[in-house]
Amino acid sequence: HALPLFATVGADGALRVWDSTSLSQTSKFLIPDDPVRAVAFALGDSMLLACGFTSGRVRTLNLRPTQVVVEVKKHTAPVACVQFSASGEWLYTLGYDGLLVVH
């Protein structure tokens, strides 16, 4: 992505994306009913952010414009880790159910 970004998750259910240069908030997603457990940015200029949730759901978010691109539920337990491949073509998720899923 073009900006040096980082993400935080709060107890209020908000996922916030920040510009690390200016420390200003660039995006906010309210998800009060399903806590975010893991996040990963796609490499390059795609502006995609993947989130894994307590419910086992995974969402891929576009930060420009701010919208949900896709949502899937392949895990039966909380998501422990999300990671994009170096090419950005694949998303890997690992859940506490022991499954490694390639999206």
Side-chain angles (χ1 to χ4, degrees):
H1 37 80
L3 298 173
L5 302 175
F6 67 95
T8 61
V9 180
D12 60 353
L15 168 66
R16 293 176 174 86
V17 178
W18 305 83
D19 177 335
S20 63
T21 303
S22 66
L23 299 180
S24 62
Q25 182 178 304
T26 62
S27 303
K28 180 179 177 181
F29 299 89
L30 292 176
I31 314 160
D33 59 327
D34 194 4
V36 175
R37 302 287 300 249
V39 296
F41 287 97
L43 298 176
D45 295 327
S46 68
M47 298 301 287
L48 294 178
L49 175 68
C51 306
F53 295 86
T54 299
S55 67
R57 289 185 299 159
V58 175
R59 286 183 186 165
T60 302
L61 310 169
N62 188 342
L63 301 177
R64 300 282 188 276
T66 304
Q67 64 185 20
V68 176
V69 175
V70 67
E71 180 176 335
V72 295
K73 186 171 188 311
K74 302 285 184 173
H75 295 283
T76 59
V79 175
C81 181
V82 294
Q83 181 66 49
F84 283 98
S85 64
S87 68
E89 182 179 359
W90 304 102
L91 175 65
Y92 307 101
T93 60
L94 178 65
Y96 284 103
D97 55 6
L99 294 178
L100 171 65
V101 179
V102 180
H103 304 264

